[in-house]
Amino acid sequence: MAKDKLLLEMQGVSKHFPGVRALHDITFDVRAGEVHGLVGENGAGKSTLMGVASGALQATEGTVRIDGTVMSADPEYARELGLAIVRQEPALMPDLSVAENLYLGLPQSRRPSLSGLNDWARKLLQHWSKDVSIDPRDHITTLNPEQRFIVEIVKALECEPKVLVLDEPTEHLTSADVQRLFDRVRAVTARGAAVVYISHRIREVQAIADRLTVLRDGEGQGTFNARELEEDQIVSLIVGGNLDQTFPEKAGEGQRRTVLAARDFSGPGFSNVTLEVKAGEILGLAGIDANGQREFMRALAGIYRGRGHLTLDGKDIQINSSQAASALSISYLPGDRHREGIFPDLSVRENFSIRSPRADTRLGFVSAASELRRTADAIRQFAVKTPSGETPIRSLSGGNQQKVVLSSVLAMRPKVLLVDEPTQGVDVGARAEIYKVIREAARSGMAVILVSSDQQEVAGLSDHVAIFSRGRVVEMLTGDRVTEDNITASVLKSTEQRDKHHKELGAFWKWAAGNVAPLVMVGTAIILLGAIAGMWNPFYLSPRSLSNIMMLSATLAMVAYGQQFLMLVSGIDLAVGPTMGLVQIVASFFLIKDAGIGLHGMGWVLVLATAMAVGLINWMLVEGLRLHPMVATLATYMSVQAVSLFLRPVPAGPIDPGLLDLLNMKVGIVPVTFIAAVLMALVMEYFLFRRSLGISMRGLGSRQEAARTAGIRPVMVRLIAYVGCSVFAGFAAVTMFAQVGIGDPRAGLGYTLGSIAAVVIGGASLFGGRGSFIGALLGAIFISQVNSVTVFLRLTQEWQQYLLGFLILASVALYSKSREKVVQA
Amino acid sequence: MTSKSKSAAGNSLSAQLKAAVLNEFSWIWGGTIVLFVVCAFVTPGVVEPSAISSMLPFAAVLGITAVGMTIVIQQRGLDMSLPGIMTISGLAFAQIGFSTGSSLLAVPLTLIFAMAIGIVNGLLVAKVNITPIVTTLATNAILMGGVRAISGGSPMTAPAELAQFSHSKLFGVPMTLILALLFIIVVSLVTKRTIAGRRFVAVGANPAAATAAGIPILRYQVATYAIAAICFAVAGMLFTGFIGSASQTAGVDYLLPAIAAVVVGGTPFTGGRGSVIASGVAALFMTLLGQMVLALGADTSVQLLVQSAVIIVAVAIRQLPAILRHFR
């Protein structure tokens, strides 16, 4: 490849979001064989620019070319053209193994055969580092952020992209891994590809980049040869004149009383922090993300647990919960507005009044008039642009949402105001207003603590600034020294890397959270229960009793496979029971004695068609009409049952005894239906873990967005799942002929709950992504066993239900606890 | 300035009025009125006073169960233990009533018992993190075991006082209906007009934001299941009194209709928003619809078909704007 060939060209690119101009007329190009650094503060537009380049975002104006070809806003197309992006938040599917994630992350042509998947993945990981600590069989949930990032980089490198985009790649890496990353980056450019390196660590960019481009507030500040610029020159380019933002006047000198003081305060991510904040002042906390400043603030808000000494107005206090914090008049404006700040579906009024309901209560009841008045006042005072107070807050722009949350937090009239990223996703106009509000709050006597990754904001607002690094306060800036340059310099120049940190896990919990544990546990339970029952009553182990249990298990297992199939993609089918009944009724009209081959043939076709039709209807209700799966299948539950009752108001229509004999056949003591169920489980399990479709299904259930970027089409996969589920219910109905033998509209009803119980005991997650057909089989055997064992143990019949209920609770509680424990924060 | 603020408040008042009258929960009122009119023409027998007064108790029992189901769905849950709680409460009441000889004692004891079951449900969901549907399926199995143990598989006669109470009327209005209205009004007033209710809605809408706002979410989640259990228990006792015996299957036929009433009433499965009043009206709607279909000479199968069609239509109507926007 020619050395100065342009692999990525962006010309005149602008991107506008509602109310925000994120990028303005940017021209950016990347040559073959170079590392191109892209630097700028948070919110400068780096990630947006790369979002446009990778096709995830549609540019408002301008063109993007990858290797000479004009791009459209299509991530799949960008990937085909040879652009790979490694994001700060890896796009991995949490319930899949490392190896499976690597597999799905590659374009189809580059995927290896699935038989040696783990070895292949291990080799890839070893390319990264010989002593890599990642086991390809581990679930992504059990990896820490550093390991997840390595998986993401390995995945991107394996695509052999022409343009590799690394977005803040060293945030989670240890220094040894940073060196490895640099080696790999150089290897990529050596083969003639290009690397875009996004970072706010200037020294790193200087060390690796050939050229660098600076962005500020969505505008390009020029492209430079990296060797020609000094660190300070880069800092001033990044910070710029920055005269476009006006901040309110600061508190100035004066005697003030201390409101909140922390001494040797430690918690998750920060240690031995000693800080105090005075009434009327704003204390800024700065540092690179995840260095403890935000964690410290969240501990003060009562969301994390901190240890150490805290005083409020001179009195010792303890903050054990967010409720305790708000009772102490400490109020918190969360940084993650969507997750923790707003109640999206509720109105502006409800979002405003929720933090200070007491202001509106008269004799214990919320006064509508008072609430309306306060809301209207807040809307006016904070200049919130909203059609009315009754508008759902989710339909407002980011800045207006933030103003509502801020007004709500201030309405608590706190002593201490904790503010986390007050202007994230807020346009420039609204920013100035928010700054004024925060300063006014301080002036009215509140003590304010501010966390922000925007250094300009910290400098402009704060009276004092504490610089955090690796969980400790490393520097305090006060008075005239609170300038953006000083903050940026001390934050950016820190080259400290983090230590390797990995939550230590008990081996048992790790095992219990794996895929195999449910199988081993349920299998053991089956054997134990069988042994106990056999010792108590030898008849339990008689061929007749065992055959009977296996027969019942086969039916339950097959319908459970269907439920499991659907649950993998986070669906649920309440209609499987009635579907079984309907299939049986259809059969009772055609599969009858002396009906002849024609009628029998038609009967089998109709049996299959009936099952598939139910699945198709379910899918259309969920996908087309956007019904919740539970509501959709509840509706089909009723209508399928209606059709059954219409066709056979009372049980009638004996099924061909010849067919029943066939279904009742046994090999030794093992019924053929049971053999079929076991074979099905094995085949399906093979598909689930060793075939592309199965892995895709689990990926989709695990995280839809990540699956989509891996090229999976959710609508089609869900169609397969819904139809597949009903078809399995149809198989189950066929095995049920042998037990019922007649067209009975109520015969299948119990199987809806039975099938859910079986898969849940087998280790499936209702949220999708996790499950096993062998687990479902074992769950079904276990339930059938519990149902019959009570008779042999001479227990009264209610014990069937007691055992079933307690066993479901015990197994699910164990799975839920173990999976919670292994998740790395 | 003052005139401006007045007009702002005026705007909001009219906006609030508009939001209160025209929203996804108002459809069911229109639907119910239309259904009454249609019945008057098609099956006049159904809307005769005598027919209505014999139908209302059933609508009332369904309405009370729907209130409980609504608040659980507002917390992003689903309570499948309705049949178990409803049935065992009827039996427990009969049992305690006969063994102590005092219905006055049996009522609070039964309610305390039901509340305890609800608290267990709530703790399993909120504290042990078991999905609501699985938790309540399991507790329902255990409760149905209990039902069998208490009843021995056959119905028990209801204490006479309870039967009398269930059939009694106050100023010509059936007692069951009065109780149902009481439940609906109280729960609605509490969720809309008290601090606890506002917080309850917030916890359902976004638990993480509720935590950040200083709301103790565990308490609200557990209380939700406890109150739902009380609703189911009251419905169970009333039903027992009304049919004169505590059957071992009383609640089984109420699970799907209760969920259906909530869905038709318009409470979404996404949490937070919801209306017990709409659920109550939907309970009346579904019961009346059933009566109409019966009067038309159709059997159970057509009834079910009509009910499921109503569910789909009710949800689809509210989704229509979003779906149209999607295709435009």
Side-chain angles (χ1 to χ4, degrees):
Chain A
M1 257 183 262
K3 255 293 177 197
D4 38 4
K5 187 179 166 192
L6 294 180
L7 287 181
L8 174 65
E9 297 168 76
M10 305 185 77
Q11 260 164 2
V13 170
S14 299
K15 174 71 196 174
H16 299 229
F17 292 109
V20 191
R21 192 191 66 182
L23 294 175
H24 180 65
D25 194 21
I26 306 249
T27 296
F28 178 72
D29 56 53
V30 185
R31 295 176 194 149
E34 80 164 344
V35 177
H36 196 137
L38 188 57
V39 295
E41 286 185 307
N42 269 6
K46 296 166 297 188
S47 297
T48 312
L49 186 66
M50 287 304 111
V52 171
S54 67
L57 295 173
Q58 166 94 57
T60 316
E61 282 165 47
T63 53
V64 180
R65 283 195 183 82
I66 296 174
D67 198 13
T69 312
V70 177
M71 252 282 298
S72 57
D74 177 6
E76 192 63 15
Y77 190 44
R79 200 159 73 149
E80 263 171 53
L81 291 175
L83 184 133
I85 185 160
V86 175
R87 293 201 169 75
Q88 260 171 303
E89 273 307 311
L92 299 172
M93 290 156 268
D95 296 309
L96 268 55
S97 73
V98 171
E100 288 163 340
N101 266 285
L102 291 173
Y103 174 84
L104 285 181
L106 297 189
Q108 230 132 45
S109 55
R110 285 181 174 276
R111 290 180 187 169
S113 110
L114 277 162
S115 53
L117 186 65
N118 287 332
D119 293 334
W120 167 80
R122 192 170 293 117
K123 226 171 275 163
L124 289 194
L125 291 168
Q126 277 168 357
H127 282 311
W128 174 261
S129 153
K130 280 274 173 277
D131 54 340
V132 67
S133 63
I134 306 169
D135 186 324
R137 290 166 300 180
D138 280 351
H139 280 171
I140 296 295
T141 37
T142 67
L143 302 186
N144 61 28
E146 172 203 352
Q147 293 170 318
R148 266 180 252 170
F149 204 78
I150 291 173
V151 173
E152 184 79 0
I153 293 176
V154 167
K155 188 174 93 183
L157 288 171
E158 190 51 29
C159 296
E160 298 199 350
K162 290 178 190 151
V163 183
L164 173 65
V165 181
L166 300 171
D167 191 354
E168 303 286 1
T170 56
E171 282 306 277
H172 300 299
L173 296 183
T174 61
S175 53
D177 280 320
V178 171
Q179 267 319 308
R180 281 189 198 111
L181 177 72
F182 282 10
D183 292 345
R184 298 307 304 267
V185 165
R186 291 192 185 100
V188 169
T189 52
R191 65 172 168 83
V195 174
V196 179
Y197 193 99
I198 304 176
S199 179
H200 52 225
R201 293 179 187 238
I202 296 166
R203 287 183 186 174
E204 262 176 38
V205 178
Q206 279 186 312
I208 187 81
D210 302 302
R211 293 194 299 161
L212 63 85
T213 296
V214 181
L215 287 188
R216 188 202 315 149
D217 291 337
E219 298 191 30
Q221 305 298 314
T223 300
F224 308 90
N225 195 325
R227 308 278 176 285
E228 286 169 5
L229 287 181
E230 292 294 320
E231 190 173 343
D232 292 340
Q233 288 174 291
I234 301 176
V235 170
S236 66
L237 276 170
I238 291 175
V239 176
N242 266 340
L243 298 172
D244 48 349
Q245 193 62 261
T246 48
F247 287 95
E249 201 184 327
K250 296 197 178 179
E253 294 293 309
Q255 275 301 343
R256 300 190 175 84
R257 70 195 162 82
T258 300
V259 178
L260 181 69
R263 203 172 69 230
D264 286 329
F265 195 56
S266 306
F270 63 93
S271 48
N272 297 83
V273 173
T274 299
L275 281 174
E276 58 173 42
V277 55
K278 296 194 165 82
E281 288 185 350
I282 300 179
L283 169 67
L285 311 181
I288 291 179
D289 245 14
N291 272 276
Q293 65 273 36
R294 178 159 295 119
E295 289 75 7
F296 171 69
M297 176 177 276
R298 286 174 77 80
L300 293 182
I303 294 171
Y304 293 160
R305 299 281 168 281
R307 301 175 312 278
H309 196 73
L310 291 176
T311 60
L312 182 71
D313 289 337
K315 285 191 273 297
D316 288 356
I317 54 162
Q318 297 254 352
I319 303 174
N320 295 322
S321 65
S322 62
Q323 196 198 354
S326 72
L328 290 163
S329 286
I330 299 173
S331 70
Y332 172 55
L333 179 79
D336 188 341
R337 184 170 61 242
H338 293 284
R339 223 180 72 76
E340 293 189 333
I342 60 170
F343 301 90
D345 289 341
L346 301 187
S347 66
V348 169
R349 170 179 54 84
E350 288 164 296
N351 269 280
F352 166 74
S353 65
I354 185 64
R355 290 176 184 81
S356 52
R358 268 177 234 293
D360 297 319
T361 28
R362 312 274 181 277
L363 305 168
F365 286 95
V366 176
S367 147
S370 155
E371 191 187 13
L372 276 179
R373 195 175 50 246
R374 282 208 310 142
T375 310
D377 285 349
I379 290 175
R380 202 180 49 250
Q381 191 194 336
F382 290 80
V384 179
K385 291 190 195 72
T386 170
S388 84
E390 299 309 311
T391 312
I393 196 166
R394 68 177 135 75
S395 62
L396 268 52
S397 75
N400 285 308
Q401 290 181 356
Q402 187 72 334
K403 285 188 207 165
V404 174
V405 182
L406 184 58
S407 67
S408 169
V409 169
L410 286 172
M412 295 167 84
R413 301 183 192 286
K415 288 180 190 161
V416 181
L417 175 64
L418 308 173
V419 190
D420 188 358
E421 299 291 355
T423 60
Q424 203 162 60
V426 171
D427 52 296
V428 179
R431 277 186 197 184
E433 293 170 39
I434 288 173
Y435 295 149
K436 215 171 84 196
V437 169
I438 294 173
R439 177 50 76 184
E440 280 305 320
R443 202 158 287 152
S444 74
M446 291 180 200
V448 181
I449 303 181
L450 164 79
V451 165
S452 172
S453 43
D454 180 348
Q455 263 68 304
Q456 187 191 357
E457 187 167 289
V458 177
L461 270 179
S462 309
D463 301 304
H464 310 275
V465 174
I467 311 282
F468 273 72
S469 182
R470 299 168 81 183
R472 286 164 197 276
V473 177
V474 291
E475 207 177 336
M476 281 296 297
L477 304 174
T478 301
D480 293 342
R481 293 191 57 229
V482 179
T483 64
E484 190 183 359
D485 282 352
N486 280 345
I487 298 171
T488 310
S490 40
V491 167
L492 288 187
K493 286 179 184 172
S494 88
T495 48
E496 286 175 25
Q497 257 92 25
R498 40 193 47 246
D499 303 328
K500 269 195 199 272
H501 66 97
H502 194 89
K503 201 157 86 179
E504 280 309 315
L505 281 174
F508 171 74
W509 289 115
K510 198 168 173 181
W511 174 80
N515 281 339
V516 185
L519 311 188
V520 175
M521 287 191 277
V522 180
T524 315
I526 290 173
I527 294 168
L528 271 180
L529 188 59
I532 294 170
M535 280 194 290
W536 193 269
N537 186 340
F539 287 111
Y540 177 75
L541 294 177
S542 70
R544 200 182 131 84
S545 141
L546 290 179
S547 296
N548 192 35
I549 292 175
M550 283 191 268
M551 198 106 147
L552 292 170
S553 312
T555 305
L556 182 55
M558 286 187 199
V559 59
Y561 300 158
Q563 198 67 261
Q564 174 65 84
F565 201 53
L566 188 51
M567 236 177 238
L568 283 171
V569 297
S570 346
I572 190 165
D573 187 353
L574 301 179
V576 284
T579 307
M580 286 172 69
L582 181 60
V583 165
Q584 169 135 334
I585 280 166
V586 169
S588 76
F589 282 101
F590 294 92
L591 306 178
I592 48 178
K593 201 176 175 210
D594 305 326
I597 190 100
L599 212 52
H600 266 224
M602 198 160 108
W604 286 111
V605 171
L606 281 175
V607 159
L608 189 66
T610 307
M612 289 178 78
V614 175
L616 198 65
I617 292 171
N618 282 334
W619 174 78
M620 289 193 307
L621 292 177
V622 170
E623 216 51 64
L625 288 180
R626 311 273 178 84
L627 262 57
H628 190 284
M630 215 97 90
V631 177
T633 56
L634 179 71
T636 40
Y637 181 109
M638 291 168 141
S639 33
V640 168
Q641 189 58 17
V643 175
S644 294
L645 285 170
F646 180 73
L647 293 173
R648 290 261 186 233
V650 288
I655 289 171
D656 184 3
L659 176 61
L660 296 186
D661 286 345
L662 204 67
L663 289 167
N664 273 322
M665 265 186 1
K666 298 189 185 77
V667 178
I669 64 160
V670 186
V672 282
T673 51
F674 186 73
I675 297 176
V678 173
L679 287 178
M680 271 185 200
L682 295 174
V683 170
M684 295 293 291
E685 194 84 344
Y686 172 78
F687 266 87
L688 189 59
F689 288 95
R690 287 281 176 271
R691 278 278 161 268
S692 196
L693 176 67
I695 299 178
S696 300
M697 283 189 85
R698 287 191 292 132
L700 179 65
S702 188
R703 190 195 276 176
Q704 177 156 326
E705 291 70 40
R708 216 195 286 270
T709 35
I712 293 164
R713 294 169 61 197
V715 176
M716 290 318 292
V717 174
R718 275 198 285 268
L719 172 64
I720 296 173
Y722 274 98
V723 174
C725 174
S726 299
V727 168
F728 273 111
F731 291 154
V734 172
T735 65
M736 193 172 67
F737 295 168
Q739 295 142 39
V740 184
I742 194 169
D744 180 354
R746 290 187 178 78
L749 293 184
Y751 283 99
T752 291
L753 303 190
S755 64
I756 296 174
V759 293
V760 163
I761 289 178
S765 153
L766 254 68
F767 301 111
R770 303 205 37 153
S772 149
F773 291 97
I774 296 179
L777 171 67
L778 292 175
I781 296 175
F782 193 43
I783 291 174
S784 311
Q785 193 187 15
V786 167
N787 284 342
S788 68
V789 85
T790 46
V791 181
F792 291 96
L793 294 182
R794 296 216 184 82
L795 292 170
T796 42
Q797 267 195 317
E798 55 266 24
W799 276 93
Q800 268 186 23
Q801 277 144 324
Y802 293 154
L803 282 174
L804 183 62
F806 282 115
L807 289 169
I808 293 177
L809 288 177
S811 56
V812 180
L814 181 64
Y815 302 149
S816 150
K817 268 285 158 245
S818 60
R819 284 167 197 177
E820 220 170 89
K821 275 200 191 276
V822 296
V823 171
Q824 294 278 341
Chain B
M1 190 70 198
T2 39
S3 72
K4 206 174 164 189
S5 91
K6 247 183 206 155
S7 83
N11 272 344
S12 275
L13 193 67
S14 71
Q16 199 187 25
L17 205 67
K18 205 174 134 197
V21 176
L22 280 176
N23 56 27
E24 69 259 56
F25 304 123
S26 51
W27 284 94
I28 189 61
W29 288 96
T32 310
I33 292 167
V34 169
L35 186 65
F36 265 101
V37 174
V38 169
C39 280
F41 284 101
V42 182
T43 54
V46 171
V47 286
E48 270 172 24
S50 65
I52 292 217
S53 80
S54 69
M55 175 192 78
L56 280 177
F58 291 98
V61 171
L62 181 58
I64 294 172
T65 59
V67 167
M69 195 58 87
T70 307
I71 59 171
V72 175
I73 289 177
Q74 277 183 281
Q75 293 297 331
R76 305 170 175 219
L78 194 64
D79 199 336
M80 307 293 276
S81 63
L82 181 154
I85 297 177
M86 202 174 150
T87 313
I88 209 165
S89 300
L91 285 165
F93 178 84
Q95 184 85 341
I96 300 170
F98 280 122
S99 57
T100 64
S102 159
S103 290
L104 274 181
L105 194 62
V107 173
L109 285 179
T110 307
L111 291 181
I112 289 170
F113 175 60
M115 195 170 78
I117 299 169
I119 289 173
V120 171
N121 273 339
L123 286 173
L124 286 169
V125 169
K127 196 89 188 162
V128 191
N129 257 333
I130 305 180
T131 332
I133 182 170
V134 176
T135 302
T136 50
L137 274 180
T139 46
N140 188 57
I142 296 168
L143 291 170
M144 288 316 261
V147 165
R148 205 192 287 251
I150 298 177
S151 70
S154 50
M156 287 162 74
T157 319
E161 295 102 316
L162 181 63
Q164 268 166 18
F165 180 82
S166 287
H167 285 281
S168 67
K169 288 185 176 178
L170 195 66
F171 308 119
V173 185
M175 205 52 156
T176 44
L177 184 66
I178 291 175
L179 267 181
L181 290 177
L182 201 67
F183 259 88
I184 292 170
I185 292 168
V186 167
V187 173
S188 178
L189 203 64
V190 167
T191 50
K192 292 211 159 56
R193 287 279 160 243
T194 65
I195 294 179
R198 292 303 183 84
R199 290 184 169 159
F200 157 83
V201 171
V203 172
N206 185 349
T211 304
I215 299 172
I217 61 169
L218 180 69
R219 212 176 290 172
Y220 285 90
Q221 287 167 334
V222 174
T224 300
Y225 284 89
I227 295 169
I230 289 178
C231 291
F232 303 154
V234 169
M237 289 192 280
L238 286 177
F239 185 77
T240 299
F242 200 75
I243 64 167
S245 69
S247 96
Q248 71 284 16
T249 56
V252 179
D253 293 332
Y254 273 91
L255 176 62
L256 295 186
I259 300 175
V262 177
V263 171
V264 171
T267 298
F269 274 54
T270 44
R273 298 171 51 73
S275 164
V276 288
I277 297 180
S279 299
V281 177
L284 176 64
F285 177 89
M286 297 299 271
T287 315
L288 182 63
L289 186 70
Q291 292 298 312
M292 185 183 98
V293 175
L294 268 186
L296 284 172
D299 54 9
T300 340
S301 66
V302 179
Q303 283 236 31
L304 279 170
L305 208 57
V306 170
Q307 284 179 357
S308 80
V310 167
I311 293 178
I312 293 172
V313 169
V315 182
I317 282 180
R318 298 179 176 105
Q319 298 276 359
L320 216 53
I323 294 171
L324 288 179
R325 226 174 323 172
H326 179 70
F327 282 109
R328 208 158 41 192

